[in-house]
Amino acid sequence: MSMLIMGLVALIGLVFSVAVVVFYLGCLGATMAAFNHGRIVWGSLTFFLPPLSFLFALRHRAEADWSFGFIWKGGLVVLLIVGGVWLGMQLLPEHAAQGASAMGKLLPLPAGPVAQ
């Protein structure tokens, strides 16, 4: 069972890393599209603030072309994975929430009497 969990975590990590790369390739494509079409301000902003690339690609789909799909699909997968992990942390049992931190929720309870 532990190998199955480790394999699932590794697969989710691999999908997450590929989604982040796809998102940032789309952001780079939108930045290049902005520069190629003479939109220097948009190009500079999207280079330094990558999420603004999505706004540029949304407003100028014909210019952004393929990068809009990369930003949309990569960003959606990243959002789904982060949201799923957050939801999973919220659904952990209450007795696991001794410390208010995430590690406190994930670590198992000690067995037997423990000196504080």
Side-chain angles (χ1 to χ4, degrees):
M1 183 66 171
S2 65
M3 288 299 292
L4 180 66
I5 292 173
M6 287 185 349
L8 182 65
V9 168
L11 180 66
I12 290 172
L14 182 65
V15 169
F16 181 78
S17 64
V18 168
V20 168
V21 167
V22 167
F23 174 77
Y24 277 107
L25 280 176
C27 291
L28 184 61
T31 300
M32 293 301 107
F35 281 135
N36 286 340
H37 289 89
R39 300 180 187 274
I40 303 302
V41 173
W42 268 110
S44 299
L45 286 175
T46 57
F47 182 76
F48 290 110
L49 300 169
L52 285 179
S53 298
F54 179 70
L55 292 178
F56 175 79
L58 193 60
R59 287 186 61 191
H60 308 284
R61 283 193 193 171
E63 295 174 11
D65 199 23
W66 58 269
S67 63
F68 176 76
F70 274 45
I71 295 170
W72 176 248
K73 291 170 187 156
L76 184 65
V77 171
V78 167
L79 184 67
L80 287 175
I81 290 175
V82 169
V85 169
W86 178 83
L87 184 64
M89 292 295 293
Q90 301 305 314
L91 294 177
L92 284 173
E94 283 299 318
H95 74 279
Q98 297 166 345
S101 69
M103 286 307 294
K105 288 182 176 183
L106 292 174
L107 292 174
L109 292 174
V114 177
Q116 295 288 336

